[in-house]
Amino acid sequence: MKIQNLTKTYEGHTVLENLNLTMEEGKIYALMGPSGCGKTTLLHIMLGTLASDKGTVEGFSGKKFSAVFQENRLFEFLTAGENAMVVRKGKQNLEQMNQILAEILPKKSLEQKVCEYSGGMKRRAAIGRAMLAESDMVLMDEPLTGLDEATKECVAEFILKYRKNRTLIFSTHQEKEVELLQAKKIMLM
């Protein structure tokens, strides 16, 4: 996967300028840098939800992605398991989904609709859905933000367990999250 001379400008403000990266498939990468340096923008360009102004992105087209965005984008009136079923195309039943999601969510919460969850529980449900989706690549925008340290460790273990050798690219401000997810750092300035 190769990014060459990638540039993106918003209203006269350049967030990515002549960015060049090479990444290996099947590895874990952490995008790091100060706020406003283009981490979220780069993830959206990789996903194909945003166009760059200049440059090329190779190795991402034709891939199936699962993603965690800054906002959780869950179906609020479904349970966490039902949210995961949406991306599984009927290959597992709800009971199996709930057994897996119980690794990162309280069992009693699996009967509740997501709209009844706390912010941290919604985040875990979004991560669970992304990790259980059928995809070639997982992109996550600050996935562990808002979780306490013990929960971060539990969720990081879950992500690594269900990654299944897929390429994982995530953004973070935290060195600890890079360590927890065993990622190679990519610094954006």
Side-chain angles (χ1 to χ4, degrees):
M1 300 175 304
K2 198 175 225 177
I3 293 170
Q4 292 182 296
N5 301 315
L6 192 71
T7 299
K8 181 65 181 176
T9 302
Y10 292 106
E11 299 173 5
H13 175 72
T14 302
V15 291
L16 294 171
E17 186 170 16
N18 294 317
L19 178 67
N20 292 289
L21 291 174
T22 301
M23 294 176 278
E24 285 183 63
E25 287 196 38
K27 303 288 183 185
I28 303 173
Y29 296 95
L31 303 176
M32 295 191 77
S35 293
C37 73
K39 296 181 299 289
T40 298
T41 298
L42 180 56
L43 288 171
H44 281 279
I45 290 170
M46 290 174 182
L47 279 168
T49 59
L50 186 64
S52 63
D53 297 333
K54 183 180 105 178
T56 59
V57 178
E58 298 170 13
F60 292 89
S61 64
K63 302 277 190 215
K64 287 181 7 183
F65 293 96
S66 58
V68 174
F69 298 94
Q70 283 184 348
E71 45 312 298
N72 294 311
R73 298 187 184 186
L74 295 164
F75 296 103
E76 292 279 328
F77 291 98
L78 297 178
T79 66
E82 290 166 342
N83 267 277
M85 294 284 289
V86 168
V87 297
R88 287 296 300 179
K89 298 185 174 91
K91 294 203 174 180
Q92 290 177 303
N93 64 38
L94 185 57
E95 186 178 324
Q96 291 169 315
M97 285 290 120
N98 285 340
Q99 284 178 340
I100 295 168
L101 291 169
E103 295 176 34
I104 55 172
L105 285 165
K107 281 192 180 204
K108 65 180 182 180
S109 73
L110 298 171
E111 302 299 319
Q112 299 173 300
K113 303 220 180 298
V114 170
C115 62
E116 299 173 33
Y117 284 10
S118 67
M121 288 170 61
K122 286 181 181 181
R123 195 64 175 166
R124 286 179 272 164
I127 290 167
R129 180 182 63 187
M131 296 314 299
L132 295 173
E134 297 171 11
S135 66
D136 303 311
M137 237 181 242
V138 182
L139 303 183
M140 298 182 165
D141 200 352
E142 299 189 28
L144 303 179
T145 296
L147 304 178
D148 63 56
E149 291 308 311
T151 304
K152 278 184 185 183
E153 289 179 19
C154 174
V155 172
E157 287 175 20
F158 180 89
I159 291 169
L160 293 173
K161 178 179 179 179
Y162 291 99
R163 181 176 73 89
K164 298 183 176 161
N165 295 319
R166 292 178 287 182
T167 303
L168 170 63
I169 303 170
F170 67 98
S171 65
T172 183
H173 292 281
Q174 306 293 319
E175 287 284 342
K176 174 76 173 172
E177 294 174 12
V178 176
E179 292 170 23
L180 285 172
L181 290 167
Q182 303 166 15
K184 180 179 179 181
K185 277 193 288 192
I186 296 173
M187 295 300 297
L188 301 178
M189 295 295 164

